[in-house]
Amino acid sequence: MATDRLRCATGQLGRAVRAEITRSGGRRSILLFGAIPAAVLLPLIVTLGVAMVSERFASISSTIQVTSVATTNSVYWVITFTVIAWAVIATFAQATGERGAVGEMSRYLYPRSATAALARWIVYGAWAALCSAVLACVVMILLPNVFPRVYGGVDIASAAGVRFIVTVPIYGVLAVGIGVGLAAIVGHPATAVAILLGWTYIIENAISLITNGYTLQSYMPFLNGVYATGQELAFLPPWGVDGALAYVAAIATAVFVLGCGVLTLRRR
């Protein structure tokens, strides 16, 4: 009996994954009009734009000193934009997938509320991991070769470079999980996306301005995720880089489980 249930749940999850891949594709898809501009082009444009300006100042000015950039600061915009863009895409997909005719069909096809949500975590998490890994490699290869004055110290084969290649995709997967769980809790696409962006770019940075803000900031999930990749930050969580990654994983799991619970109650 337990084996049959497991086989049934696995089959439904596989069908949900294939359905989400189909739903996210096409000429007017969220991947084409959301992921490519926000998760691919934007971080590349900002990274290369900043590098171009810095290299220009370093080559023509003797009065303005431009500090060389280390590997630990080379993929900042990929971490900042690519990861969060995929989290936003997953948040929107989850919220819209539980509404209207699509939501009715999902409730009919997948009696377990977690099935479709887990499928979205898998699909968009895989896209986030692949996209961020490729961009991190591209950036760490391009910068020292095209802009050697400022980025000559960037080394993809260094310990920091290898850590970026491994941990930035993991952080992307966990951020997608938080987004899916948040959308399941909130249920409204625009509200869920607004909460995610507001928390990431406003609350986590502005919280340092209140009393004991720096202590509270060390518990912020997205800042812990950025820190866990090896990116240099102004604050140091008490559990180190590996502990920070485990902390974000625990937060992502908790938010996702809570979201699935809310979905179950909402369906009833």
Side-chain angles (χ1 to χ4, degrees), residues 174-238:
L174 297 178
V176 165
I178 294 175
V180 171
L182 175 64
I185 294 170
V186 176
H188 190 280
T191 304
V193 170
I195 292 174
L196 178 66
L197 291 176
W199 183 273
T200 305
Y201 293 120
I202 299 176
I203 294 178
E204 292 207 356
N205 293 292
I207 200 169
S208 62
L209 302 176
I210 68 174
T211 305
N212 297 321
Y214 286 106
T215 301
L216 294 173
Q217 198 173 46
S218 65
Y219 293 92
M220 296 295 101
F222 292 102
L223 282 177
N224 269 272
V226 174
Y227 175 74
T229 64
Q231 168 67 38
E232 293 183 9
L233 291 179
F235 81 104
L236 300 176

Side-chain angles (χ1 to χ4, degrees), residues 79-249:
I79 299 171
T80 302
F81 289 136
T82 301
V83 170
I84 301 304
W86 281 111
V88 168
I89 290 170
T91 301
F92 183 80
Q94 171 61 32
T96 55
E98 293 293 329
R99 296 165 63 88
V102 176
E104 291 296 329
M105 183 177 295
S106 177
R107 285 186 282 274
Y108 175 76
L109 293 175
Y110 315 117
R112 299 174 182 84
S113 58
T115 301
L118 182 56
R120 292 181 184 109
W121 190 356
I122 292 172
V123 171
Y124 296 106
W127 277 113
L130 177 62
C131 181
S132 57
V134 170
L135 284 181
C137 291
V138 169
V139 166
M140 286 189 288
I141 292 172
L142 278 180
L143 289 179
N145 289 285
V146 180
F147 309 103
R149 290 179 179 269
V150 179
Y151 294 89
V154 176
D155 183 7
I156 190 174
S158 65
V162 173
R163 185 172 184 87
F164 276 144
I165 296 172
V166 173
T167 56
V168 174
I170 295 175
Y171 172 45
V173 172
L174 297 178
V176 165
I178 294 175
V180 171
L182 175 64
I185 294 170
V186 176
H188 190 280
T191 304
V193 170
I195 292 174
L196 178 66
L197 291 176
W199 183 273
T200 305
Y201 293 120
I202 299 176
I203 294 178
E204 292 207 356
N205 293 292
I207 200 169
S208 62
L209 302 176
I210 68 174
T211 305
N212 297 321
Y214 286 106
T215 301
L216 294 173
Q217 198 173 46
S218 65
Y219 293 92
M220 296 295 101
F222 292 102
L223 282 177
N224 269 272
V226 174
Y227 175 74
T229 64
Q231 168 67 38
E232 293 183 9
L233 291 179
F235 81 104
L236 300 176
W239 31 66
V241 287
D242 294 331
L245 196 63
Y247 174 75
V248 179

Side-chain angles (χ1 to χ4, degrees), residues 55-74:
E55 188 79 1
R56 181 64 175 168
F57 275 120
S59 61
I60 67 173
S61 177
S62 59
T63 58
I64 300 177
Q65 183 177 3
V66 179
T67 305
S68 298
V69 176
T71 305
T72 49
N73 281 320
S74 59

